[in-house]
Amino acid sequence: MAVEVKVPTLGESVTEATIGEWLKKPGDPVKLDEPIASLETDKVAVEVPAPVAGVMGAYKVEVGATVEVGAVIATIEDAQSAGETVQVAEREQPQPADQVPPAPAVAPAPATDDHADGGTTLSPAVRRAVLEHGVDPSAIKGTGKDGRLTKEDVLAAAKAKKDEPAPSVSQAAPAPTATGERREERVKMTRLRQTIARRLKGAQEEAALLTTFNDCDMTAVIEAREAYKDLFAKKHGIKLGFMSFFAKASCLALKDVPAVNAKIEGDEIVYHDYVDISVAVSAPNGLVVPVVRNVDALSFAEVEQAIASYGQKAKDGTLTMADMSGGTFTISNGGVFGSLMSTPIINPPQSAVLGLHRIEDRPVARNGQVVIRPMMYLALSYDHRIIDGREAVTALKIIKEAIEDPMRLLIDL
């Protein structure tokens, strides 16, 4: 008896998704709650779990198709009926004239090796790495829980493959002659990329965007990190990074300048007495902004732990809709990619975003002397409909002063 697999509830206000990838093939054994498909929504990738144990049946929709919540996308059958279905399907499958028809299929046995290719349960991040680097997952020994493959296992195998000696020149095939042909490739935008494009363009068209800049001497923060990084890591089990300093400094600014932490709804301004910071992180399918909530009430360690957790979930493709919803202010760190200066775009309905950039030694004047300091450019983009220039400049100045003198973070100045 076949059991229908339906699109699960995807989150508030999300009614449809796109089939991004099938994680199981027809005839593969399936365990209860094992992921069988990956759906792409406007914000995150969502895995569809198997409602029962059995054997993967037929697909009802193809990769790239748009499906609504509750739609049937596949079936799962018990092992006996699945074996009969596969045999019938293979008999009906047209065979090339020069090939001998294969022997009737036998119902597959339950998989015993979770990291072998075939009955594998690979996470979306691992599957993407396998496809990207062209390695055979069955030839890689997993180091994860129960011997499962991790992304690091795939990357290590790809590196080892790259380091293998190239075949001898005598055996190499002759290089094709350059014809001067110019090629183009068309790839359909993912649902996430379409949403990013639509939201950013909408922000430009609706908001009155303006950016104010300042530079920041990172000497004090760098010295604080160097002095306490070992004790911090030993006590909290997490590294002390720059983001927690900027998150807490932003809290000071947002409390003193409430408009920067507000939003427009219709003809009203909504002010928040809490600070939920969206932290822009890079994911395989594009930029995502999970939300660290109540940052004003968190410790440095709790901020760092939350950011690290979201960063790992973004790499693994396991962020949920709940992780992405809300947010009153955004911090985007382009410095990790080498950006010197930028004008970040706000994340609607938020009214401001702080852009961080790379740190570089530059000559600056201190007490009448030219000295070398580790400097960073800061950028605050804001919606001029709700935030005046004076407020934006004041907020950025508070952040700058808190970073240059971290004691302000302790005594709330």
Side-chain angles (χ1 to χ4, degrees), residues 4 14-15 44 76 85 101 113 115 124 174 209 212 221 225 264 280 312 320 348 355 367 371 376:
E4 294 179 336
V14 180
T15 59
V44 294
I76 293 179
T85 303
D113 187 354
H115 63 275
L209 289 178
T212 183
V221 167
R225 286 184 67 203
I264 294 178
Q312 187 59 50
T320 66
N367 300 319
V371 295
M376 176 194 288

Side-chain angles (χ1 to χ4, degrees), residues 214-227:
N214 215 319
D215 61 356
C216 180
D217 188 340
M218 298 293 291
T219 301
V221 167
I222 292 175
E223 290 177 349
R225 286 184 67 203
E226 287 298 317

Side-chain angles (χ1 to χ4, degrees), residues 14 61 67 95 102 142 171 197 216 226 248 268 315 344 388:
V14 180
V61 291
V67 291
Q95 300 290 336
Q171 297 176 351
C216 180
E226 287 298 317
K248 300 301 286 186
E268 297 179 332
K315 291 179 182 178
D388 294 332

Side-chain angles (χ1 to χ4, degrees), residues 2 8 11 51 60 76 139 153 173 177 185 194 200 215 223 227 242 248 251 301 330 343 348 351 374 393 410 413:
K60 299 298 184 182
I76 293 179
D153 296 333
T177 304
E185 181 182 7
Q194 292 178 45
L200 293 181
D215 61 356
E223 290 177 349
F242 290 127
K248 300 301 286 186
C251 290
T330 294
T343 55
S351 298
V393 171
L410 298 178
L413 281 181

Side-chain angles (χ1 to χ4, degrees), residues 106-368:
V106 180
T112 58
D113 187 354
D114 282 342
H115 63 275
D117 197 16
T120 328
T121 304
L122 301 181
S123 71
V126 173
R127 285 181 177 272
R128 282 191 290 270
V130 167
L131 294 174
E132 179 181 349
H133 296 283
V135 296
D136 181 6
S138 63
I140 306 173
K141 183 176 181 180
T143 60
K145 183 179 180 181
D146 298 328
R148 293 181 181 271
L149 281 183
T150 66
K151 185 177 180 181
E152 288 70 24
D153 296 333
V154 176
L155 296 178
K159 185 177 185 301
K161 181 179 178 182
K162 186 185 297 185
D163 293 340
E164 290 179 357
S168 61
V169 177
S170 60
Q171 297 176 351
T177 304
T179 61
E181 182 181 1
R182 304 200 307 171
R183 298 179 179 273
E184 292 182 351
E185 181 182 7
R186 292 181 181 270
V187 179
K188 185 176 180 180
M189 294 172 67
T190 64
R191 194 176 189 88
L192 175 60
R193 177 53 61 184
Q194 292 178 45
T195 301
I196 292 173
R198 184 175 63 252
R199 286 175 60 84
L200 293 181
K201 186 59 180 175
Q204 285 186 319
E205 292 175 348
E206 181 176 354
L209 289 178
L210 195 63
T211 304
T212 183
F213 299 94
N214 215 319
D215 61 356
C216 180
D217 188 340
M218 298 293 291
T219 301
V221 167
I222 292 175
E223 290 177 349
R225 286 184 67 203
E226 287 298 317
Y228 299 109
K229 64 179 182 180
D230 293 337
L231 289 174
F232 189 90
K234 182 178 179 180
K235 180 175 181 179
H236 301 292
I238 190 74
K239 292 182 179 179
L240 178 59
F242 290 127
M243 283 298 291
S244 55
F245 284 93
F246 280 102
K248 300 301 286 186
S250 297
C251 290
L252 290 183
L254 301 182
K255 291 294 184 180
D256 283 358
V257 190
V260 182
N261 196 43
K263 64 180 179 181
I264 294 178
E265 281 190 0
D267 59 355
E268 297 179 332
I269 299 176
V270 180
Y271 294 94
H272 306 100
D273 67 350
Y274 54 88
V275 178
D276 290 349
I277 295 183
S278 302
V279 181
V281 297
S282 180
N285 290 333
L287 191 71
V288 293
V289 278
V291 181
V292 181
R293 306 186 191 280
N294 299 312
V295 178
D296 49 325
L298 298 181
S299 67
F300 275 69
E302 289 170 331
V303 172
E304 292 291 354
Q305 289 164 351
I307 293 173
S309 175
Y310 282 141
Q312 187 59 50
K313 291 175 73 173
K315 291 179 182 178
D316 295 340
T318 57
L319 284 171
T320 66
M321 298 296 293
D323 295 332
M324 311 280 287
S325 62
T328 62
F329 183 74
T330 294
I331 298 179
S332 178
N333 186 5
V336 296
F337 304 110
S339 172
L340 177 64
M341 186 178 291
S342 67
T343 55
I345 300 177
I346 64 173
N347 179 25
Q350 299 173 19
S351 298
V353 52
L354 175 66
L356 309 182
H357 303 91
R358 76 169 187 252
I359 301 171
E360 65 175 10
D361 289 340
R362 292 200 299 270
V364 294
R366 293 289 185 269
N367 300 319

Side-chain angles (χ1 to χ4, degrees), residues 25-160:
K25 300 177 182 178
D28 285 351
V30 176
K31 301 175 183 177
L32 176 64
D33 290 332
E34 186 175 15
I36 63 172
S38 176
L39 302 178
E40 292 181 355
T41 71
D42 290 347
K43 294 184 177 181
V44 294
V46 178
E47 291 183 341
V48 180
V52 295
V55 176
M56 188 69 189
Y59 301 154
K60 299 298 184 182
V61 291
E62 299 297 325
V63 171
T66 298
V67 291
E68 296 183 350
V69 172
V72 178
I73 59 175
T75 59
I76 293 179
E77 305 174 359
D78 60 58
Q80 182 175 357
S81 63
E84 296 171 356
T85 303
V86 171
Q87 292 180 32
V88 172
E90 290 186 345
R91 286 199 300 270
E92 295 177 351
Q93 181 72 20
Q95 300 290 336
D98 59 345
Q99 291 186 5
V100 179
V106 180
T112 58
D113 187 354
D114 282 342
H115 63 275
D117 197 16
T120 328
T121 304
L122 301 181
S123 71
V126 173
R127 285 181 177 272
R128 282 191 290 270
V130 167
L131 294 174
E132 179 181 349
H133 296 283
V135 296
D136 181 6
S138 63
I140 306 173
K141 183 176 181 180
T143 60
K145 183 179 180 181
D146 298 328
R148 293 181 181 271
L149 281 183
T150 66
K151 185 177 180 181
E152 288 70 24
D153 296 333
V154 176
L155 296 178
K159 185 177 185 301

Side-chain angles (χ1 to χ4, degrees), residues 384-405:
H384 213 341
R385 296 177 303 165
I386 182 176
I387 303 171
D388 294 332
R390 175 184 59 83
E391 294 174 315
V393 171
T394 300
L396 189 58
K397 184 171 178 287
I398 292 172
I399 295 173
K400 165 188 167 71
E401 291 175 344
I403 295 300
E404 293 184 337
D405 183 9

